[in-house]
Amino acid sequence: MARPVRIEPVETRADLRRFIDLPWSVYEGDANWVPPLKRDVRAAFDPSKHPFHRHSEVQPYIALRDGEAVGRICAIDNRNHEAVWKDGAGFFGWFECIDDAEVAEALLETAAAWLRERGRRSMRGPASFSINDTCGVLVEGDPGLPTIMMAHNPPYYPALLEGAGLTKAKDLYAHHLDLYAYRRAMEQDPEHLYRLADRIARKRRVRLRQIRMSSFKEELRLVRRLYNAVWEKNWGFVPMTDAEIAHLAAELKPIVRPELVLFAESEAGETIGFVLAVPEFNPILQKMNGRLSPLGLARALIQKRRIKAMRVLVLGVLGEWRGKGIDAVLYVGLIRNGLARGFNEAEQSWVLEDNHKMNTAVKRLGGRVYRKYRIYETAL
């Protein structure tokens, strides 16, 4: 007979510690799991440190069986999402669970009940905390470490969620690009996109520039304006606040390589698009095992320059400039810079499954969909 499961809200420091530590038992022996820095997870649930709490409400829970933590979840009332979409959607995130349907159902129903009390009509996720953060469940794809800020989970997670009545809301694609293969193709084909992009840049009188780290705050304001304008019509998109952009930038700044953050400017000096990529830091992060010691930080800074892979987080062009090849100019500029600095592979992620223009553009560059992530939903 199965032992009963008890779901308790995370209220004390001790509760939060158990919530943070739980994945170490779920992923024991998983060579592809990258432990998050515990200090970052702790800060995420501190209203004084994470800006999401300024406009929305969350409630984390822990699942216990005979006093042992066996699962966790966080119910999320994203009020900024509701202000934009007015669809009655609530969210869940930070989901981790042993391979046990009873535990998963209890966690999901607890989150659903919390959202019902706040008038939400559906529950969607996982998203930790929003679609601008790590989201989705890996449902298929190549083995290996996830890239930075992308999800990784045991293979039984889809079955747990679907067994609890959740269904697919949207799939997210991750594309893999072999930069060396791209360069070889460029050398063999005189009409390759590499040269086409240069012709487009000349014709449109567009130039590229790197991010100016000396003016980082000003550049952040530009990134926020572009990001929110470019993605405003995307499924589920919620604009990032100034504080949220600043928080994310503070997390990424130590690993930013200026040559991987490019802005496209028109002849008149208007910034019309940008691409943001970061070195693939997860192999280094994995070795830290959740703790950032002074020695570990020193080693990480040394190893940062040896990274040969990158993740392309965002690429976008303002509406009136779309369809004119500016995305190709940005892609090629990024690849050119990456190859010059010794990068040999890239992941473009994530891209909505029905964003056909972007998926076609990455395929044209030689990319292939090598992992698929899923966001689930259920009516409340």
Side-chain angles (χ1 to χ4, degrees):
M1 183 175 179
R3 292 165 293 172
V5 177
R6 188 172 78 255
I7 309 298
E8 294 189 350
V10 172
E11 297 176 333
T12 67
R13 289 185 179 182
D15 294 338
L16 183 58
R17 187 161 52 248
R18 297 183 84 173
F19 183 94
I20 293 171
D21 289 344
L22 174 73
W24 270 260
S25 59
V26 172
Y27 292 94
E28 185 177 5
D30 187 340
N32 292 322
W33 180 57
V34 179
L37 291 176
K38 291 185 177 183
R39 68 169 195 178
D40 289 349
V41 182
R42 191 175 299 109
F45 287 93
D46 185 339
S48 69
K49 294 182 178 179
H50 199 292
F52 185 81
H53 302 283
R54 299 179 191 177
H55 57 74
S56 297
E57 185 181 3
V58 308
Q59 177 57 63
Y61 293 94
I62 193 86
L64 302 172
R65 178 179 279 153
D66 289 345
E68 179 185 356
V70 290
R72 73 180 195 186
I73 200 168
C74 183
I76 303 162
D77 186 10
N78 188 338
R79 298 190 186 114
N80 279 8
H81 174 95
E82 181 63 17
V84 172
W85 294 97
K86 298 177 174 60
D87 58 3
F91 297 84
F92 74 94
W94 304 90
F95 176 79
E96 303 287 3
C97 188
I98 63 171
D99 190 3
D100 188 304
E102 182 187 8
V103 176
E105 289 174 9
L107 285 166
L108 290 161
E109 178 50 39
T110 300
W114 187 89
L115 291 169
R116 285 192 200 98
E117 291 175 357
R118 283 149 185 80
R120 298 298 169 231
R121 300 188 301 274
S122 65
M123 181 172 71
R124 189 181 298 166
S128 306
F129 290 114
S130 79
I131 203 165
N132 294 314
D133 302 304
T134 302
C135 58
V137 170
L138 178 65
V139 292
E140 64 177 87
D142 293 3
L145 296 184
T147 57
I148 189 167
M149 294 179 63
M150 291 296 287
H152 175 74
N153 49 265
Y156 58 80
Y157 273 21
L160 286 182
L161 296 174
E162 291 163 18
L166 277 72
T167 58
K168 170 185 167 182
K170 191 76 69 174
D171 277 355
L172 316 174
Y173 290 171
H175 298 261
H176 181 268
L177 295 95
D178 182 333
L179 301 189
Y180 284 172
Y182 182 87
R183 182 167 62 185
R184 288 193 298 271
M186 179 272 295
E187 292 169 348
Q188 295 166 7
D189 181 1
E191 294 302 314
H192 194 269
L193 188 60
Y194 204 94
R195 292 177 176 81
L196 175 61
D198 287 340
R199 291 200 295 271
I200 292 171
R202 290 193 297 269
K203 179 181 178 181
R204 304 294 184 189
R205 294 183 172 85
V206 169
R207 71 181 186 91
L208 299 182
R209 71 165 179 86
Q210 296 180 186
I211 189 172
R212 301 182 182 109
M213 299 300 288
S214 60
S215 305
F216 196 68
K217 288 185 178 180
E218 291 77 8
E219 298 284 63
L220 275 187
R221 285 194 287 270
L222 178 58
V223 166
R224 176 178 180 267
R225 179 177 67 81
L226 290 169
Y227 181 77
N228 287 341
V230 165
W231 300 111
E232 63 177 348
K233 295 182 180 179
N234 261 27
W235 176 85
F237 174 74
V238 178
M240 294 187 77
T241 65
D242 285 337
E244 286 172 330
I245 282 282
H247 181 83
L248 178 60
E251 291 185 331
L252 293 179
K253 188 176 181 180
I255 65 171
V256 164
R257 296 278 295 270
E259 60 271 15
L260 303 183
V261 185
L262 302 177
F263 297 95
E265 295 180 336
S266 69
E267 185 179 29
E270 177 192 8
T271 304
I272 60 175
F274 79 116
V275 60
L276 165 62
V278 293
E280 181 34 55
F281 203 70
N282 269 356
I284 297 173
L285 188 62
Q286 187 183 49
K287 296 177 182 178
M288 296 180 181
N289 196 31
R291 300 187 182 279
L292 184 58
S293 65
L295 180 58
L297 178 60
R299 288 175 176 169
L301 293 175
I302 292 172
Q303 294 172 2
K304 182 173 74 170
R305 291 287 170 176
R306 300 172 186 167
I307 296 172
K308 301 300 181 184
M310 60 174 152
R311 179 189 167 202
V312 186
L313 283 81
V314 183
L315 184 146
V317 178
L318 292 178
E320 61 270 28
W321 286 88
R322 292 173 192 162
K324 298 181 179 181
I326 309 305
D327 54 344
V329 174
L330 285 162
Y331 263 126
V332 169
L334 176 65
I335 291 173
R336 180 179 281 153
N337 282 5
L339 284 167
R341 273 74 176 183
F343 288 89
N344 56 32
E345 60 180 322
E347 176 180 298
Q348 165 78 57
S349 60
W350 46 262
V351 183
L352 291 169
E353 61 178 328
D354 49 6
N355 187 342
H356 303 302
K357 288 185 178 180
M358 179 64 76
N359 286 312
T360 299
V362 182
K363 184 177 180 180
R364 192 177 179 192
L365 286 163
R368 66 179 179 90
V369 177
Y370 83 126
R371 287 176 183 157
K372 293 182 182 180
Y373 301 82
R374 182 162 296 162
I375 294 179
Y376 287 88
E377 65 183 353
T378 185
L380 299 180

